[in-house]
């Protein structure tokens, strides 16, 4: 397996590099920032990326945002997030489009080295490897009120039709309104659900996933 590691802790990065080398995997690059991670993937085209979430330059969610960019630009590259934190917003996006070849493990909950290696193998093979706590937080959401509660009855009707796969034109015909009215409702839904426009990601799909998860 050919890998790129992104971890700002030099000690942990070197330890993972040695561990993977002992398992006959090839570590093409070990980097300490999210920017270097994207550059390394562009240069080396690994099979799998292993990345932390909170990395330079901001030490917030740079590593996970880099993972999203990698999945957008090189969709066949597996991504295994290894972190102490669950970043719900970006974790949901990472899983929303295509969960195959994605993993998210919490450092403190990886009890055995074999658990990490098994997760890595699954991601490389196109499978999914998720810590149950990550799943719980992504699915359960936060303690804030249900964001769908912000929608008007008509917006809920439109989202219901979207969830069935109907186009804006088909929704207009089914609800007996104009297509421009449907488009306004769809944009309002995106705003009320805090789905900012991000290149490479379908806000329509994210809205439907939010709807189906309630």
């Amino acid at each position: 397996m050919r890998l790129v590691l992104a971890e700002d802790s030099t000690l942990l990065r070197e330890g993972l590099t040695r561990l993977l080398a002992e398992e006959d995997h090839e570590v093409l690059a070990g980097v300490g920032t999210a920017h270097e991670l994207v550059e390394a993937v562009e240069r080396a085209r690994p099979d799998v990326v292993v990345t932390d979430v909170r990395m330079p330059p901001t030490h917030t969610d740079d590593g996970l945002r880099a993972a999203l960019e990698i999945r957008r630009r090189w969709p066949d590259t597996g991504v295994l997030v290894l972190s102490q934190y669950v970043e719900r917003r970006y974790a949901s996006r990472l899983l929303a489009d295509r969960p195959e070849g994605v993993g998210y493990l919490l450092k403190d909950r990886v009890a055995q080295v074999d658990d990490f290696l098994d997760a890595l193998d699954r991601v490389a093979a196109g499978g999914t490897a998720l810590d149950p706590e990550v799943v719980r937080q992504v699915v359960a959401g936060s303690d804030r009120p249900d964001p769908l509660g912000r929608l008007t009855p008509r917006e809920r009707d439109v989202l219901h039709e979207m969830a069935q796969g109907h186009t804006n034109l088909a929704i207009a015909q089914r609800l007996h309104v104009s297509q421009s009215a449907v488009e306004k409702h769809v944009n309002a839904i995106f705003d009320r659900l805090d789905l900012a426009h991000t290149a490479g990601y379908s806000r329509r799909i994210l809205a439907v996933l939010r709807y189906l998860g309630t």
Side-chain angles (χ1 to χ4, degrees), residues 1-175:
M1 189 186 309
R2 302 165 67 253
L3 303 105
V4 168
L5 301 180
E7 168 60 59
D8 62 331
S9 168
T10 303
L11 185 62
L12 180 55
R13 186 171 69 243
E14 292 299 320
L16 285 172
T17 298
R18 293 183 182 182
L19 169 66
L20 293 167
E22 290 175 358
E23 296 294 322
D24 296 325
H25 298 312
E26 182 180 4
V27 178
L28 304 172
V31 300
T33 71
H35 179 69
E36 291 173 327
L37 169 59
V38 176
E39 286 187 336
V41 172
E42 183 173 22
R43 181 175 62 253
R45 302 298 174 87
D47 302 313
V48 178
V49 165
V50 179
T51 182
D52 198 354
V53 170
R54 299 188 177 181
M55 300 179 64
T58 70
H59 294 282
T60 55
D61 49 25
D62 301 83
L64 197 46
R65 287 191 285 112
L68 287 167
E69 180 178 350
I70 289 166
R71 291 287 283 180
R72 177 179 62 83
R73 295 175 61 182
W74 303 285
D76 292 333
T77 302
V79 171
L80 177 59
V81 177
L82 182 63
S83 179
Q84 291 177 295
Y85 310 97
V86 180
E87 295 287 347
R88 287 189 57 256
R89 179 183 177 188
Y90 291 110
S92 297
R93 290 189 179 184
L94 189 63
L95 296 168
D97 184 33
R98 187 170 57 87
E100 295 84 4
V102 172
Y104 199 132
L105 303 180
L106 298 179
K107 292 177 181 177
D108 294 342
R109 291 168 55 89
V110 179
Q112 303 292 333
V113 170
D114 287 346
D115 295 338
F116 168 72
L117 295 174
D118 177 67
L120 192 60
D121 287 339
R122 277 186 280 156
V123 169
T128 303
L130 301 175
D131 186 291
E133 179 62 17
V134 173
V135 175
R136 187 190 70 78
Q137 292 197 35
V138 169
V139 172
S142 68
D143 293 331
R144 294 176 299 177
D146 176 11
L148 296 187
R150 307 172 191 169
L151 303 183
T152 67
R154 177 57 81 184
E155 289 164 358
R156 278 183 171 270
D157 290 341
V158 170
L159 184 52
H160 176 75
E161 298 295 334
M162 287 168 57
Q164 297 182 60
H166 296 301
T167 64
N168 287 354
L169 177 58
I171 294 172
Q173 294 170 343
R174 292 170 66 87
L175 297 182

